[in-house]
Amino acid sequence: MKTAFYIARRYLISKKSVNVINIISGISVAGVTVGTFALVVILSVFNGLDTSIKSLFSTFDPEIKIGNSVNGKPFELNSLNVDAIRQINGVTAVTPVIEEDAFLMYGNQQYFATIKGVPANYAQVSKFDTGSITVGRFLLEADGSPFALVGQGVAYYLSVGLNFTEAIHVYALKKGATGRPTLENTLTHTTIYASGIFASQQEIDSKYMLVPIDFAKELFEMENRVSAVEITLANGASEDDVKKEILNQIGNQFSVKTQFEQHEMFYRVMQSEKWAIFFILAFILVIASFNILGSLSMLIIDKKDDIVILQSMGANQKLIRNIFLFEGWLISLAGAIIGIVLGVLICWIQIRFGLLKIPNEGSFIFTAYPVEMRLTDIFVVFLLVTGIGFLAAWYPVRYTR
């Protein structure tokens, strides 16, 4: 084995009698290098986007959410054993919330938004990022008066000013309204002042306005009903394990969703895109590896005299094939190592300096393309490249005599 490797290494770096073989070998290494480099960079960019978007959702969405599994409508809070859920290991807070759509007016501006009623101490019992408050402060209640936190997108469409001098008018449909429809008997109307504007993620910012839960109960005539119950977990607690414990406590009457399941379609699309790009680049890498096949085929022809000499010295068929098999491996291995090193270097530069900016950066939550390198991805890329290199080398070598 050492003899085969030594001769293969000499063949790789030595000058061939036909110069085109050197050129094809160089092209083979370059093709594998470019393919490997592209795989490392693309996977790292997708990882960065995935982590960044998940972190944005995590500042607003609960780690576990309990809702009505029958029709998704509000349910009686007393029908849920809240005390038993609080006792589950890993649970730090159980927070009832109300989510209903309403019609908002601010001055001459109008907008439909989702009103989310939460406790006044929501920042303490949840993992809502108070650092996301861009204007004003986190305040839902003061001296018995309710206040609202308005999503940045909602504030934009309503033209909510910086001084919050005007109240936001909130209209909601009355439950069980009868008779001739009029504004008075079909709509509940109230007003609330904004205390701050938060910015989390565009889909959330343009949809939600946070209000005290008692304000939402009165507006939507909920009484003892809630839309959902949010569960906050201790750091390091497993969402799946806690979900199983909750299901054991409450049965199948309610739906229990982890943070991933609340945005399951979105996350699955992200993963599908990532692996679709991976397989497309892997296919391109396979095509590039055909250069290895051509390079080895021409090298075998070029080294016919060497093969005869080695056979006369006692080399068997296995040794001859191993020489050229190692030659193909060395080409793919050189390309893989160079490509990985270049890919890691470029990713590190982007992480450290953020050279590649996103156009119209003011519309995004990050100014440069996010990148996250994962050792598992690099390992998978290395195995893929060397595996393709082995197959590309094995085909012409098996006919060596």
Side-chain angles (χ1 to χ4, degrees), residues 7-278:
I7 297 174
R9 183 168 59 86
R10 290 296 300 270
Y11 280 171
L12 180 66
I13 61 177
S14 63
K15 187 176 181 180
K16 285 75 174 177
S17 59
V18 181
N19 191 49
V20 72
I21 301 177
N22 292 317
I23 297 174
I24 294 176
S25 297
I27 293 174
S28 300
V29 174
V32 175
T33 297
V34 171
T36 306
F37 167 80
L39 279 170
V40 172
V41 172
I42 293 297
L43 291 180
S44 298
V45 170
F46 268 99
N47 292 337
L49 289 171
D50 182 61
T51 301
S52 298
I53 293 172
K54 282 182 180 179
S55 68
L56 291 175
F57 281 127
S58 66
T59 62
F60 192 86
D61 295 319
E63 289 153 304
I64 294 180
K65 187 174 185 178
I66 303 175
N68 193 332
S69 65
V70 179
N71 50 25
K73 293 183 178 180
F75 57 91
E76 293 287 336
L77 183 60
N78 295 334
S79 64
L80 191 66
N81 194 344
V82 175
D83 291 333
I85 295 174
R86 285 196 179 100
Q87 301 303 316
I88 295 175
N89 187 33
V91 174
T92 59
V94 179
T95 309
V97 298
I98 293 173
E99 285 189 29
E100 293 287 334
D101 293 333
F103 178 71
L104 307 180
M105 286 187 63
Y106 185 81
N108 296 324
Q109 305 300 315
Q110 305 170 1
Y111 190 70
F112 280 99
T114 298
I115 304 297
K116 183 172 181 177
V118 297
N121 64 338
Y122 189 63
Q124 287 75 45
V125 299
S126 71
K127 293 188 176 179
F128 182 85
D129 183 12
T130 55
S132 64
I133 305 296
T134 58
V135 179
R137 57 179 176 148
F138 189 98
L139 178 67
L140 291 172
E141 199 171 80
D143 299 327
S145 299
F147 290 90
L149 290 170
V150 187
Q152 187 168 261
V154 177
Y156 171 80
Y157 288 111
L158 288 177
S159 298
V160 174
L162 298 178
N163 48 14
F164 309 123
T165 55
E166 293 186 43
I168 300 174
H169 293 261
V170 186
Y171 297 87
L173 288 172
K174 283 186 177 180
K175 302 291 189 284
T178 58
R180 183 180 177 182
T182 63
L183 290 177
E184 289 74 19
N185 66 11
T186 57
L187 293 177
T188 300
H189 170 244
T190 187
T191 59
I192 189 170
Y193 284 89
S195 63
I197 297 174
F198 68 89
S200 176
Q201 197 267 345
Q202 186 175 3
E203 181 182 352
I204 294 170
D205 300 342
S206 61
K207 178 180 179 181
Y208 282 98
M209 183 171 81
L210 300 184
V211 300
I213 192 168
D214 291 335
F215 177 89
K217 283 182 178 180
E218 184 178 350
L219 175 66
F220 299 113
E221 304 173 29
M222 286 289 199
E223 298 178 359
N224 293 323
R225 292 180 300 153
V226 295
S227 301
V229 172
E230 297 183 353
I231 309 297
T232 306
L233 304 182
N235 292 332
S238 170
E239 291 183 4
D240 293 330
D241 292 343
V242 174
K243 175 184 174 179
K244 290 178 183 178
E245 289 291 330
I246 293 174
L247 287 173
N248 291 335
Q249 293 286 348
I250 65 177
N252 297 323
Q253 182 182 353
F254 299 93
S255 66
V256 182
K257 293 184 177 181
T258 62
Q259 202 168 62
F260 171 83
E261 291 167 337
Q262 293 170 49
H263 301 280
E264 186 173 6
M265 183 60 67
F266 175 81
Y267 288 146
R268 290 195 184 281
V269 169
M270 284 283 294
Q271 291 298 313
S272 298
E273 288 179 348
K274 174 182 175 180
W275 292 113
I277 294 294
F278 175 84

Side-chain angles (χ1 to χ4, degrees), residues 373-392:
M373 291 182 287
R374 295 178 184 171
L375 189 60
T376 51
D377 285 345
I378 294 175
F379 182 68
V380 168
V381 169
F382 180 79
L383 289 181
L384 175 70
V385 175
T386 53
I388 292 174
F390 168 77
L391 294 176

Side-chain angles (χ1 to χ4, degrees), residues 248-312:
N248 291 335
Q249 293 286 348
I250 65 177
N252 297 323
Q253 182 182 353
F254 299 93
S255 66
V256 182
K257 293 184 177 181
T258 62
Q259 202 168 62
F260 171 83
E261 291 167 337
Q262 293 170 49
H263 301 280
E264 186 173 6
M265 183 60 67
F266 175 81
Y267 288 146
R268 290 195 184 281
V269 169
M270 284 283 294
Q271 291 298 313
S272 298
E273 288 179 348
K274 174 182 175 180
W275 292 113
I277 294 294
F278 175 84
F279 286 118
I280 290 172
L281 290 175
F283 180 72
I284 295 174
L285 194 59
V286 169
I287 296 175
S289 295
F290 277 109
N291 288 317
I292 299 177
L293 189 150
S295 175
L296 283 180
S297 298
M298 296 186 69
L299 183 63
I300 291 170
I301 296 172
D302 183 62
K303 299 298 180 181
K304 280 292 185 182
D305 293 339
D306 289 7
I307 292 173
V308 173
I309 293 171
L310 288 171
Q311 288 175 336
S312 66

